[in-house]
């Protein structure tokens, strides 16, 4: 069994927790890394590897982002493309987009991202608390 | 310009591309599929570009709003700091500058704490102040007393004293805390300060008489050196940075027994300043808390001043020390004594 991916949150980068046994993947916090490509490369690789072996299995991906810059937004779209492709290939994929209650920007961004998903099921929800 | 206008050209490309597909211009199904895929990717790329641009604009807007808030907060902080500075300046007038400085630089904590130190203490008092000023109007009395205290305070600060308190017209200061130049230097500075105060007082006499005082003021001063407990005394709500100990009481007694416009110093101070200060020993005085009467000395002046006046001759070299006080010994007697010494040297 592959090791779970666990990247701790910093002031500029989000926490990444890929809990493979429970098929629950999560990205949370703020995202404005100095080098977005460098930060997201291992995340993309891990997701590719995971989804490649998921087949028609079920998985859930949570986005709990408070702030993200343009580079990170592009990276998030790429993650969603990968999830959408997996769903097209038969996987049962749920994408959750959590936004802070007062944050219209993140809510609208989530709505727009959700419009791109056809096979994966998109859920737009307020953050708890 | 509406954001859609920014992408008008791209929109036109999509419309025309879609028209090509709808018109059935592709005979080859493979070419058509490839073209459809390209158009779909182009549409998606355009959506992505729009989203990123919108996000970027919103982020920039938020940053500008935060920057504005920060500027406003800085203005409020600057205003509060200014008010605090003004308040601190007002408060500083209730504290000795050294104490204020040591508290505001964090060198000293504002807490109930004390330490034992050897200090030189000074007391002064205007003789018969109440009787002298009895017929003055309140405003005149206030002006007169404040003028006196201001002048004396300036001199005290100039010589490095820590002002402990004013009690009506009485002044209590000490040397050696929170800053000290050494016990001996502190004691000398204190005596020099007292002499400077006496000089200034004589200059103020004329001014006071013009203000309406019926007769000139006269001072008494006492100086003593010894161990005292120095620190914050009081409660958490109100405390004083002051000194306590039998030496403080003894200084007050020395002041009480001093002659008009003169300085009476204790034996320990005398031992520290005797190379610089000419004195005349007085009858010991009884002080509560001291088993034996306290030896005391009246300050006659600084040797350097007396030398300038010609009443003292001093000569000091390695292995040779001469002090001739012509106020205490006749000139002829002095010459005779010196000649006797010269004769002994010749033998």
């Amino acid at each position: 069994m592959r090791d779970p991916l666990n990247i701790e949150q910093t002031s500029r980068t989000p926490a990444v927790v890929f809990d493979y046994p429970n098929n629950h993947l999560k990205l949370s916090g703020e995202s404005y890394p100095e080098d977005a490509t460098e930060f997201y490369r291992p995340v993309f690789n891990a997701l590719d590897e995971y989804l490649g072996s998921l087949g028609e299995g079920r998985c859930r991906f949570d986005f709990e982002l408070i702030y993200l810059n343009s580079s990170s937004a592009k990276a998030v779209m790429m993650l969603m493309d990968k999830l959408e492709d997996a769903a097209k290939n038969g996987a049962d994929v749920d994408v959750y987009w959590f936004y802070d209650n007062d944050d219209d920007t993140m809510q609208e961004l989530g709505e727009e991202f959700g419009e791109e998903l056809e096979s994966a099921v998109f859920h737009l929800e307020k953050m708890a608390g | 310009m509406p954001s859609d206008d920014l992408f008008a050209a791209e929109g036109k490309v999509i419309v025309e591309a879609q028209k090509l597909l709808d018109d059935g211009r592709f005979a080859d199904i493979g070419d058509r599929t490839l073209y459809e895929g390209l158009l779909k990717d182009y549409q998606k790329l355009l959506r992505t570009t729009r989203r990123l641009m919108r996000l970027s604009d919103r982020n920039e807007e938020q940053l500008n709003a935060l920057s504005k808030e920060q500027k406003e907060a800085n203005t409020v902080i600057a205003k509060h700091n200014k008010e605090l500075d003004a308040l601190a300046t007002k408060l500083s007038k209730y504290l000795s500058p050294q104490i204020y400085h040591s508290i505001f630089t964090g060198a000293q904590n504002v807490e109930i704490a004390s330490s034992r130190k050897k200090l030189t203490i000074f007391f002064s008092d205007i003789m018969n102040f109440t009787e002298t000023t009895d017929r003055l109007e309140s405003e005149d009395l206030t002006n007169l007393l404040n003028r006196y205290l201001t002048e004396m305070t300036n001199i005290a600060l100039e010589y490095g004293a820590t002002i402990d308190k004013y009690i009506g017209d009485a002044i209590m200061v000490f040397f050696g805390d929170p800053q000290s130049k050494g016990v001996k230097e502190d004691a000398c500075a204190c005596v020099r300060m007292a002499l400077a105060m006496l000089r200034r007082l004589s200059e103020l006499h004329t001014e006071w008489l013009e203000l309406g005082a019926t007769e000139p003021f006269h001072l008494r001063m006492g100086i003593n050196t010894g161990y005292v407990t120095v620190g914050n005394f009081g409660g958490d709500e109100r405390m004083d940075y002051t000194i306590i100990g039998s030496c403080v009481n003894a200084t007050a007694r020395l002041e009480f027994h001093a002659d008009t416009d003169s300085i009476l110093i204790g034996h320990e101070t005398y031992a520290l300043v005797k190379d610089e200060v000419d004195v005349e020993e007085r009858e010991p005085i009884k002080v509560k808390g001291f088993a034996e009467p306290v030896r005391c000395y009246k300050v006659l002046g600084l040797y350097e001043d007396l030398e300038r006046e010609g009443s003292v001759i001093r000569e000091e070299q390695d292995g040779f020390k001469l002090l001739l006080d012509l106020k205490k010994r006749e000139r002829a007697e002095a010459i005779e004594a010196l000649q006797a010494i010269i004769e002994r040297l010749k033998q």
Side-chain angles (χ1 to χ4, degrees):
Chain A
M1 186 181 283
R2 72 172 67 84
D3 291 332
L5 179 69
N6 202 337
I7 301 173
E8 280 193 29
Q9 182 175 340
T10 71
S11 60
R12 301 180 66 124
T13 58
V16 183
V17 181
F18 284 5
D19 177 6
Y20 301 122
N22 293 309
N23 295 302
H24 190 181
L25 320 179
K26 188 174 177 181
L27 192 69
S28 61
E30 295 187 62
S31 182
Y32 51 106
E34 280 184 34
D35 185 343
T37 312
E38 188 67 27
F39 178 78
Y40 281 100
R41 184 182 293 123
V43 182
F44 293 149
N45 292 340
L47 187 62
D48 286 340
E49 198 183 334
Y50 167 73
L51 293 174
S53 61
L54 185 63
E56 294 189 351
R58 187 184 184 91
C59 94
R60 167 180 172 152
F61 199 115
D62 290 358
F63 292 93
E64 273 190 26
L65 294 164
I66 297 163
Y67 173 84
L68 71 167
N69 64 4
S70 305
S71 305
S72 301
K74 181 69 173 75
V76 167
M77 283 184 238
M78 287 167 74
L79 290 173
M80 288 201 176
D81 284 345
K82 290 176 190 298
L83 293 164
E84 172 68 6
D85 287 345
K88 269 184 187 156
N89 291 330
D92 199 355
V93 179
D94 283 291
V95 175
Y96 282 81
W97 182 270
F98 293 96
Y99 64 93
D100 189 86
N101 200 16
D102 301 324
D103 194 342
D104 297 341
T105 303
M106 293 308 281
Q107 183 184 356
E108 284 172 27
L109 200 64
E111 282 167 1
E112 289 184 0
F113 286 165
E115 287 168 10
E116 293 293 325
L117 301 177
E118 290 172 357
S119 302
V121 182
F122 185 74
H123 308 264
L124 185 66
E125 294 193 8
K126 289 177 186 172
M127 283 183 197
Chain B
M1 187 187 285
S3 63
D4 282 352
D5 291 354
L6 292 172
F7 296 98
E10 287 83 355
K12 203 173 162 189
V13 168
I14 290 168
V15 170
E16 284 172 3
Q18 190 62 51
K19 200 176 166 194
L20 278 177
L21 283 172
D22 296 344
D23 291 350
R25 298 272 292 273
F26 290 93
D28 187 290
I29 189 76
D31 285 351
R32 181 184 169 83
T33 308
L34 187 65
Y35 194 79
E36 274 180 337
L38 272 174
L39 179 57
K40 204 174 173 189
D41 283 350
Y42 184 81
Q43 286 172 317
K44 186 176 180 186
L45 196 58
L46 184 58
R47 286 198 300 276
T48 303
T49 306
R50 280 180 163 163
R51 277 177 201 138
L52 291 181
M53 193 186 276
R54 206 155 41 238
L55 177 69
S56 178
D57 287 350
R58 285 196 172 188
N59 282 349
E60 197 178 8
E61 202 177 310
Q62 281 178 348
L63 281 174
N64 285 337
L66 283 173
S67 170
K68 194 180 167 197
E69 277 176 29
Q70 181 70 42
K71 275 182 191 163
E72 284 167 1
N74 284 347
T75 309
V76 172
I77 289 168
K79 186 171 171 267
H80 285 174
N81 280 347
K82 207 174 166 186
E83 285 169 1
L84 279 175
D85 279 348
L87 187 62
T89 305
K90 282 179 191 168
L91 277 175
S92 72
K93 300 196 188 307
Y94 288 89
L95 293 168
S96 186
Q98 297 94 330
I99 304 298
Y100 172 82
H101 183 75
S102 57
I103 289 171
F104 274 73
T105 56
Q108 186 170 292
N109 289 331
V110 182
E111 60 185 11
I112 304 290
S114 62
S115 60
R116 199 157 166 77
K117 284 185 180 176
K118 196 171 199 178
L119 306 182
T120 294
I121 306 149
F122 166 93
F123 270 88
S124 77
D125 189 30
I126 299 176
M127 295 167 72
N128 304 320
F129 179 78
T130 312
E131 295 86 334
T132 313
T133 58
D134 206 25
R135 276 171 289 171
L136 285 177
E137 290 298 330
S138 168
E139 292 81 1
D140 291 338
L141 174 62
T142 306
N143 289 338
L144 192 142
L145 183 58
N146 284 343
R147 177 96 170 95
Y148 163 73
L149 290 175
T150 301
E151 291 292 328
M152 297 300 123
T153 301
N154 288 343
I155 293 168
L157 296 177
E158 186 188 328
Y159 283 83
T162 298
I163 295 158
D164 187 307
K165 60 175 74 72
Y166 306 115
I167 311 155
D169 60 291
I171 300 171
M172 176 182 169
V173 308
F174 54 82
F175 286 73
D177 184 85
Q179 291 150 0
S180 172
K181 291 180 177 170
V183 176
K184 185 173 178 172
E185 186 48 43
D186 290 340
C188 287
C190 186
V191 175
R192 285 169 183 273
M193 175 200 72
L195 287 165
M197 285 176 166
L198 282 177
R199 281 195 298 273
R200 187 74 189 107
L201 184 78
S202 65
E203 291 164 11
L204 288 172
H205 276 156
T206 317
E207 194 179 311
W208 286 351
L209 289 172
E210 283 172 6
L211 275 173
T214 51
E215 54 189 270
F217 290 160
H218 294 284
L219 283 182
R220 281 189 308 229
M221 294 171 168
I223 296 173
N224 200 20
T225 304
Y227 279 98
V228 296
T229 304
V230 57
N232 289 319
F233 297 91
D236 286 338
E237 298 300 317
R238 170 77 171 88
M239 57 179 82
D240 263 339
Y241 192 82
T242 188
I243 51 175
I244 54 169
S246 57
C247 185
V248 181
N249 304 335
T251 313
R253 294 298 294 164
L254 286 166
E255 182 264 301
F256 181 77
H257 284 278
D259 291 344
T260 302
D261 293 334
S262 77
I263 308 156
L264 199 59
I265 65 176
H267 184 72
E268 182 128 14
T269 306
Y270 162 72
L272 292 166
V273 304
K274 64 181 186 328
D275 288 342
E276 286 193 33
V277 181
D278 191 15
V279 298
E280 182 180 277
E281 186 161 8
R282 287 301 176 92
E283 279 295 309
I285 57 169
K286 282 191 73 75
V287 177
K288 195 177 172 186
F290 288 78
E292 298 294 321
V294 173
R295 288 180 72 181
C296 55
Y297 307 80
K298 178 183 175 177
V299 173
L300 300 177
L302 295 173
Y303 281 132
E304 61 189 38
D305 293 337
L306 298 171
E307 212 174 347
R308 265 197 301 276
E309 288 169 12
S311 58
V312 162
I313 296 170
R314 272 200 311 176
E315 188 63 41
E316 194 166 351
Q317 292 168 19
D318 195 18
F320 176 80
K321 195 172 179 179
L322 172 77
L323 172 64
L324 196 56
D325 190 342
L326 297 171
K327 295 193 299 311
K328 294 175 185 169
R329 185 171 282 268
E330 288 295 324
R331 197 170 282 265
E333 285 175 8
I335 292 169
E336 199 177 312
L338 285 170
Q339 276 174 339
I341 293 168
I342 291 165
E343 287 304 317
R344 279 164 64 191
L345 278 171
K346 283 179 180 171
Q347 288 165 12

